[in-house]
Amino acid sequence: MTAPTPVIPQSGLERVRWAVSDTWTITLRYLMHLSRSPERVVGTMLFPVVSILLFGFVFGSAISVPGDGSYREYLLPGMFAQAMVFGIAGQAVAVATDVARGVNDRFRSMPMSDSAVVVGQTCAEVLNAMLDITLMFLCGLAVGWRFHGSFSDTALALGLLLLLRLAATWIGLYVGLILRGPESGGVLMPLMFPVTMIANTFVPTEAMPNWLGTVAEWNPLSATTAAARELFGNPGAASTDVAWPLQNAVLMATVWPLVIMAIFMPLAVRRYRRLSR
């Protein structure tokens, strides 16, 4: 006795419901994998916590902030944004592992939405990022960081941080689909440091050489960091001497991630569809 062949929905509304259901199933699968791999979760969350303690206490005493503000309050928004960008490496390795094990081939053999796998992986990563930002938020409060903005401003800052993580996740998804194997993911973390260091994450861009400061000011990470500082009410407000993206940080913290997703979403979906060809 053979199982009946599943019928793929044909109408537009039915296909949307089908895609949403498949996406949620894939999201739950990745969340279950995370729950069964506590070492990955702990490792992902431990790095930003250690970084907060290291930079906040070891280096913080030797770094001054414009206006003589608290360096920890200046630092934390940058650390939040840095952690969001570091999600690229973890996502890429997870996707490359699935490709190497043939998991995606099995998904492609099933009657399911083509976009469900990539969107489901992204949704799971964003949910995981909420856990990361919550832990960092609490850790920041423990070491003396405070937010001084209104509830709506604080919520908007957290939303912009998660939007950056969403964009970074699509980059990681595409990179994971083109890697030759999960072992290749080891080169990603060293490549992430220039992206996160050539920004206003740890020091003001005004303190950098002119050419390097210009690069940092146009770094999408800098816009999110500046927007978070502004909305949290932390030191480090952009001066009139910096580039336009930092003078309009909240706007660009929204625009940059949307531009990144507009580029990498179709690339990732197309690459996924071509995997078995």
Side-chain angles (χ1 to χ4, degrees):
M1 183 177 179
T2 59
T5 302
V7 178
I8 298 177
Q10 298 300 318
S11 70
L13 181 59
E14 289 176 341
R15 292 183 72 87
V16 170
R17 291 176 178 172
W18 178 52
V20 171
S21 176
D22 288 346
T23 298
W24 180 239
T25 299
I26 297 297
T27 301
L28 289 179
R29 173 191 177 264
Y30 275 87
L31 291 177
M32 290 176 63
H33 272 248
L34 285 175
S35 67
R36 294 171 183 173
S37 303
E39 67 282 354
R40 181 191 167 193
V41 178
V42 172
T44 301
M45 294 188 298
L46 190 60
F47 178 78
V49 171
V50 171
S51 297
I52 289 173
L53 298 176
L54 178 64
F55 284 93
F57 287 99
V58 177
F59 298 143
S61 59
I63 300 177
S64 60
V65 176
D68 296 324
S70 167
Y71 181 69
R72 288 193 202 105
E73 291 205 354
Y74 176 87
L75 172 70
L76 263 294
M79 297 301 301
F80 294 158
Q82 183 192 54
M84 299 299 99
V85 174
F86 275 147
I88 292 176
Q91 175 77 336
V93 171
V95 172
T97 299
D98 277 353
V99 173
R101 292 176 178 174
V103 174
N104 285 354
D105 289 336
R106 290 196 290 273
F107 285 148
R108 287 180 56 80
S109 68
M110 299 177 182
M112 62 188 300
S113 171
D114 285 342
S115 62
V117 175
V118 290
V119 176
Q121 291 170 335
T122 303
C123 290
E125 190 65 24
V126 172
L127 291 174
N128 185 45
M130 292 181 181
L131 177 61
D132 292 348
I133 199 68
T134 299
L135 179 63
M136 293 185 68
F137 200 88
L138 295 175
C139 182
L141 293 174
V143 301
W145 169 77
R146 296 293 183 268
F147 57 93
H148 307 285
S150 65
F151 175 81
S152 59
D153 285 345
T154 301
L156 178 57
L158 294 175
L160 292 175
L161 289 167
L162 290 174
L163 182 62
L164 179 64
R165 179 59 168 261
L166 179 61
T169 297
W170 280 103
I171 297 175
L173 184 58
Y174 175 68
V175 172
L177 291 172
I178 64 176
L179 286 177
R180 294 184 179 274
E183 300 81 8
S184 303
V187 304
L188 293 177
M189 190 59 74
L191 294 176
M192 297 308 304
F193 277 99
V195 175
T196 59
M197 299 297 285
I198 305 177
N200 60 354
T201 316
F202 301 105
V203 296
T205 57
E206 297 96 314
M208 301 178 184
N210 289 338
W211 67 270
L212 190 61
T214 300
V215 173
E217 289 166 2
W218 285 88
N219 185 340
L221 175 61
S222 292
T224 299
T225 300
R229 287 185 181 127
E230 177 183 335
L231 294 168
F232 285 141
N234 293 146
S239 68
T240 56
D241 296 330
V242 297
W244 189 86
L246 294 192
Q247 294 182 35
N248 301 271
V250 175
L251 172 64
M252 293 308 297
T254 304
V255 172
W256 277 127
L258 294 178
V259 170
I260 291 171
M261 285 189 286
I263 295 172
F264 283 93
M265 284 178 66
L267 287 176
V269 173
R270 185 172 63 180
R271 178 64 183 177
Y272 173 75
R273 289 173 174 169
R274 295 177 58 185
L275 276 179
S276 61
R277 294 182 183 177

